[in-house]
Each structure stands twice: as C-alpha cells, then as structure tokens.
Amino acid sequence: MYIDDLPTPALVIEAGALERNLATMAGHYPGARLRPHVKAHKCSSLAKVQQRYGHTGFTCATPREISGLAKAGIEADFLLANQSVDPARLGAIASTNATVAVDSEDTIRAAVRAGIRNVVIDVFVGLPRCGAEPDDVARLADLAREQRLNVRGVMGYEGHLMMAAAADKRAQVDAAMTTLRACADKVGGDVISAGGTGTYREHLTTGITELQAGSYALMDTQYASLGLPFEQAVHVVGTVISRSAGWAVADVGLKALGMDHGNPEVDGYDVWFCSDEHVTFAVKRDVAGLAIPAPTVLPRVGERVLVTPAHIDPTMSQHERAWVHREGLVVDEWAIDLRGW
C-alpha cells in the first residue's frame, strides 16, 4: 500500500527523514545527554526507535505518557516535566522509574501522597509558566528531603527563547542557564535538565546535563524557519474534494492539525485558511498577480496533496495512528497511543 491509497486525512511519517533526524541529534547529544520529549509525538513505537539510538530516558508532559510508555514495555528513566497536584494521577506512575517536577509545597505534598520517590525542582528561568522563583529553590529542596523524597537536581524550560532572534539568542539562553546552574548549586543532585529543539545548539556549551528536545524528530514549519539541520518527516495526506476557478479545497482542517502556530503549508501553494474539515489553498501569485515558480495549476478533485503542519505536537494528538513510509510505500502503522490525560 502507498500513502496515496490511505483514507484521508492520514498522518504519515517518512522513515528515512525520521532516521536522519534521530541520528543527527544523537550525534550532538548521545545517550543520556538527550532526554527526548514524547509530548512531541505521543507514540510509544517512535519512543522505541529513539531508544535504539541510545537514549535511556524520556521527558513526558502527562502521567498518561509515562504509564503508556511503561505499558508498551519501555523501561527508562522517566521525567514528568510538569506539575500535578492530583495524587491519583501521580499514583498511577509511582511504580515506574519516574521523577516528577515540583515547584511548590503543594506539588511536593502531592508527590509524597502519591508515593513518588524522586523529584527535581522546576526553576523559573524566564517563561511565565511553571517553575519556582530562584530564591526559593533551596527551601523547597530541603522540604522535599524532609519528606523523604530524593531530590535529583533541577530543570528549567526557556521556551520563550526557542524562536528568539539569532542575534541575541545565545546571550539570552546563557543568562537563563546561569540562573539554572546557580539553582543547581543550591539544590544539589546531579541533574540539570533544560532546553528544546530550538535551543539545542546553544546548549552544547551551557553546562546542562541533559537536553529535553522533542520536535526535532518529526519537525514542523515553525521550527523549519530556524534553519535547523532536521528534515520535515511528518505530513498529513489530504484529498482534494473541491476546486473552483481560483482555489482548491482538501479534507485536512482544524481537526487534523495544530493551528496555534498559524496555517499549515500545502505543497508550495498559498494556504488561505483552514476550517473544521477543510484547507483552502490557491496558486501562489507575485505582486503583479502572476504565478510564481511552484505549481502553476490547481490539483484536480480526487488528487492527493501533502499538508505540512505548523506545530507538530498538537497535530500528533489529533490522530489515532501514523503511517510510516519509505518514498511513499507504507512499511508500518504506529498507534498514537499516548494521547489523552
């Protein structure tokens, strides 16, 4: 079966591009230096491939991701890089080799009630989301140890810098990590965990012990704009279901894509907008109204198009399965089995 034979919309992963992406990142961050973030793909089969590239730990955004990886037979050093005050959800991962991020007395107590053994102190390094104030990390670490938790170290996510301008990106990342390293000295432990795909280059010299990158494996149009050495490995195959004089419509809409980073791309065409089940696109025109080098005619009804998502993480969570292919030939089917909460 070929990807053009799949019912659409269909999420497809090009195996060669995926393998090259994994090899490139593993070359920079071998073994435990990389803790791949599974929120970017929500797929235990892909996590198993990442393990084959030598990585021994995974970053997770939800307890469901950890329990799903364990259910799939994956034994690894799991990090829940997100806060939870729900003892039931945390208790579901207490029997795994899980470390949980905490940033307050409440999250520490929730971990204790759930039977969690290992924690890291999540530090605010500039992104106004989770993370303890740097002046409070020593107190929290002491409190965690008083509660007989093993404090493994610190983490901090400088997500506000992933798409920062290149001119001052390194200086901003260095400043954030100076804060994190100072907090590591106060907290103790041997883990300094940070970063993502957008800052992997900067972190080669920041002194962190592990990188939390996820999008590098599959990529999207936003990260592609940074000129990173990773290929677009995932697309959503759509079928053209309508064509008018000036535009065409395919069956890949809001319910098949992550849209928070803007419109997807369609095979070099100009995407106008997406609605629930549709993407409307047209031939690209220059300022004079002439077709620019690219497809100069619209595809016919029934033809297939490849839609490239702007944000990979929520796109993956919209699909139940991914079809793995090599040059269009389907070679495997992977369940997106870590979706939900």
Side-chain angles (χ1 to χ4, degrees):
M1 182 168 59
Y2 290 85
I3 60 173
D4 281 351
D5 301 320
L6 297 171
T8 57
L11 185 85
V12 298
I13 298 172
E14 208 291 301
L18 170 63
E19 291 160 358
R20 289 187 290 274
N21 289 346
L22 299 185
T24 296
M25 187 64 92
H28 291 295
Y29 291 88
R33 285 273 291 146
L34 180 71
R35 187 186 285 275
H37 211 318
V38 300
K39 74 179 179 70
H41 56 69
K42 296 281 193 178
C43 177
S44 63
S45 293
L46 203 162
K48 290 177 180 179
V49 177
Q50 290 174 313
Q51 274 195 319
R52 293 202 291 270
Y53 280 79
H55 308 303
T56 57
F58 290 99
T59 311
C60 299
T62 66
R64 166 94 173 97
E65 291 173 4
I66 293 178
S67 59
L69 289 171
K71 182 179 179 181
I74 293 176
E75 296 182 2
D77 177 8
F78 301 120
L79 171 62
L80 179 62
N82 198 9
Q83 279 64 33
S84 176
V85 291
D86 186 340
R89 294 178 67 195
L90 289 176
I93 62 173
S95 62
T96 70
N97 185 20
T99 298
V100 173
V102 295
D103 67 355
S104 66
E105 294 181 16
D106 295 309
T107 50
I108 288 171
R109 293 194 179 101
V112 171
R113 290 197 301 272
I116 297 295
R117 299 179 298 277
N118 301 305
V119 297
V120 294
I121 306 299
D122 188 3
V123 182
F124 169 64
V125 293
L127 176 68
R129 202 165 67 180
C130 298
E133 290 292 339
D135 290 343
D136 198 31
V137 298
R139 182 186 69 85
L140 292 173
D142 289 342
L143 174 62
R145 291 189 175 101
E146 289 171 5
Q147 300 296 316
R148 299 184 179 179
L149 294 172
N150 175 36
V151 181
R152 297 184 61 189
V154 298
M155 66 157 279
Y157 181 53
E158 73 292 2
H160 59 300
L161 301 178
M162 292 298 143
M163 304 300 294
D168 58 357
K169 186 171 188 173
R170 181 170 297 277
Q172 292 185 72
V173 173
D174 285 344
M177 292 304 104
T178 296
T179 298
L180 188 62
R181 290 196 307 271
C183 289
D185 291 339
K186 298 177 184 177
V187 166
D190 56 6
V191 172
I192 306 176
S193 188
T197 298
T199 55
Y200 91 95
R201 286 173 172 150
E202 288 72 22
H203 279 300
L204 291 169
T205 57
T206 60
I208 65 171
T209 64
E210 60 184 38
L211 180 79
Q212 298 180 17
S215 298
Y216 78 95
L218 298 175
M219 289 294 285
D220 53 35
T221 64
Q222 186 183 54
Y223 272 130
S225 69
L226 296 179
L228 303 175
F230 306 113
E231 304 174 43
Q232 187 62 42
V234 69
H235 298 86
V236 181
V237 181
T239 303
V240 176
I241 57 174
S242 179
R243 190 175 90 165
S244 301
W247 67 87
V249 179
D251 59 352
V252 180
L254 299 173
K255 296 176 182 177
L257 299 163
M259 294 293 297
D260 55 309
H261 291 170
N263 282 336
E265 294 182 357
V266 179
D267 283 353
Y269 291 98
D270 183 16
V271 172
W272 285 1
F273 62 92
C274 292
S275 44
D276 282 1
E277 307 292 350
H278 311 95
V279 56
T280 298
F281 59 97
V283 172
K284 287 187 176 181
R285 304 282 176 178
D286 63 17
V287 292
L290 302 175
I292 62 176
T296 57
V297 296
L298 291 168
R300 297 186 299 273
V301 172
E303 290 187 4
R304 301 298 180 96
V305 293
L306 291 179
V307 180
T308 308
H311 191 181
I312 184 59
D313 306 28
T315 296
M316 294 298 291
S317 69
Q318 300 278 50
H319 295 265
E320 295 180 345
R321 64 181 58 84
W323 303 91
V324 185
H325 70 99
R326 292 188 184 277
E327 299 181 352
L329 176 65
V330 175
V331 296
D332 210 345
E333 177 185 352
W334 290 347
I336 312 302
D337 54 340
L338 307 179
R339 301 189 309 156
W341 291 270

